[in-house]
Amino acid sequence: MVPNPTTVSYRLFASGYCTAHDRIVDPKNGGGKARFYAVWLLIEHPRHGLYVFDTGYAPRFLEATRHFPDKFYGWATPAFIKNEETAMAQLAQVSIKPSDLSGMIISHFHADHVAGMLDFPKIPIVCHSAAMQQVLSVKGLGAVRHGIVKALIPSDLKERVRIITEDSVISNKAIMQNPDEPSSLQFQDVFGDGSVELAQLPGHARGQLGIRIHTADHTLFFATDAAWRKRTLDAGILPSPTVKLFFDDWAAYKTTFSALRNYQQTFPTHRLLFTHCPETLTYIPSFNP
């Protein structure tokens, strides 16, 4: 980690939600239906400009999942999204147009993270190479089984993407790793100044990424879907075994889960948040369920 990284800022937003039984998240204490809000970030870098990290839901998800085989996705996780809640609409409320963005970082290609991608044409897309390879190759029921709705993916993804791999970063500089970090997580420097880093979080989805942002007064580690609830991570409670049906790699997920618990103990002052955790919503000033 760079001792005095460039100062960046970020904002959290939520675009829609889906519902599922809470026992999937917490098989010990969960009960009843739970809402899983789709949280995404707007990042502002003083030199590299504005980036969104994920996009949340958009109404086109509802249209896409009316048809076979994507209908199974909509049935498994019923989604709710209003036009004014989309990433594009919320950015417009703060006078940001899609063309104002320097790029879009995608944590993974599950529909609740990418349903707004088509609202942001032409701008560069950053993702993990494994995630891109999967989303371009799967189709039909195979895509649905991996949480992918092909109608939500830009047709020019391959032309716009800037991939990261196990041994490269966006800036084409060496992997940035801190040998003093015992968390077993690998962080990669995005802009070459230590301000924003991407973390590889395998298990839940192919090529899943989290993001760590060093602001002037705190460090955010947004670990996307590497856990669904902060309280279950704290308690060491893994999701229900039924998630093995759609997770990419259960063994890798457990390793990542354990690494996050180690990270939290090592860096207790860092703000560790997850996409669908209710605690994350408390950091969205304008959030109104």
Side-chain angles (χ1 to χ4, degrees), residues 139-161:
K139 57 185 178 181
L141 286 172
V144 175
R145 178 251 185 265
H146 289 290
I148 294 168
V149 176
K150 298 284 283 198
L152 304 177
I153 308 302
S155 60
D156 59 351
L157 172 66
K158 194 172 183 179
E159 290 70 39
R160 292 164 57 191
V161 80

Side-chain angles (χ1 to χ4, degrees), residues 17 35 37 82 85 281 286-289:
Y17 66 91
R35 291 185 177 186
Y37 283 91
K82 300 175 183 176
E85 295 173 340
L281 301 175
S286 59
F287 180 73
N288 183 22

Side-chain angles (χ1 to χ4, degrees), residues 14-235:
S15 291
Y17 66 91
C18 70
T19 60
H21 202 287
D22 202 42
R23 283 200 178 275
I24 293 176
V25 177
D26 185 349
K28 292 186 177 181
N29 307 300
K33 289 282 186 179
R35 291 185 177 186
F36 296 77
Y37 283 91
V39 177
W40 53 276
L41 284 75
L42 172 68
I43 303 159
E44 183 169 6
H45 189 280
R47 289 197 302 276
H48 296 280
L50 299 169
Y51 279 75
V52 290
F53 181 84
D54 287 348
T55 69
Y57 280 111
R60 66 175 58 87
F61 172 84
L62 305 178
E63 174 59 31
T65 54
R66 288 194 181 106
H67 312 289
F68 180 86
D70 299 314
K71 190 171 185 177
F72 290 116
Y73 196 136
W75 172 79
T77 57
F80 303 84
I81 175 72
K82 300 175 183 176
N83 288 326
E84 62 269 24
E85 295 173 340
T86 66
M88 182 175 67
Q90 292 194 68
L91 290 177
Q93 292 170 12
V94 292
S95 302
I96 296 174
K97 304 184 299 294
S99 59
D100 293 332
L101 298 176
S102 297
M104 173 168 41
I105 304 172
I106 297 301
S107 67
H108 60 292
F109 285 96
H110 286 179
D112 54 328
H113 294 257
V114 303
M117 284 187 77
L118 296 180
D119 291 329
F120 302 97
K122 299 181 181 178
I123 64 172
I125 299 167
V126 177
C127 67
H128 195 283
S129 59
M132 184 192 71
Q133 290 164 10
Q134 183 185 62
V135 78
L136 292 177
S137 62
V138 295
K139 57 185 178 181
L141 286 172
V144 175
R145 178 251 185 265
H146 289 290
I148 294 168
V149 176
K150 298 284 283 198
L152 304 177
I153 308 302
S155 60
D156 59 351
L157 172 66
K158 194 172 183 179
E159 290 70 39
R160 292 164 57 191
V161 80
R162 300 174 65 188
I163 63 171
I164 68 165
T165 64
E166 301 298 329
D167 56 1
S168 68
V169 293
I170 300 163
S171 59
N172 293 323
K173 296 187 177 182
I175 287 179
M176 185 176 186
Q177 290 179 286
N178 185 348
D180 296 324
E181 279 192 24
S183 66
S184 301
L185 295 172
Q186 185 180 69
F187 290 87
Q188 300 177 307
D189 191 357
V190 175
F191 300 117
D193 58 16
S195 62
V196 179
E197 301 160 293
L198 295 178
Q200 298 180 40
L201 302 171
H204 171 76
R206 188 77 52 87
Q208 179 179 241
L209 299 172
I211 192 165
R212 184 163 69 174
I213 303 171
H214 304 284
T215 74
D217 60 7
H218 72 277
T219 293
L220 167 74
F221 184 11
F222 189 67
T224 55
D225 287 4
W228 282 323
R229 296 284 189 272
K230 182 74 158 34
R231 61 176 170 80
T232 56
L233 182 80
D234 292 342

Side-chain angles (χ1 to χ4, degrees), residues 253-264:
Y253 179 85
K254 291 192 292 183
T255 298
T256 298
F257 192 85
S258 177
L260 285 172
R261 283 172 56 79
N262 291 338
Y263 182 95
Q264 185 170 233

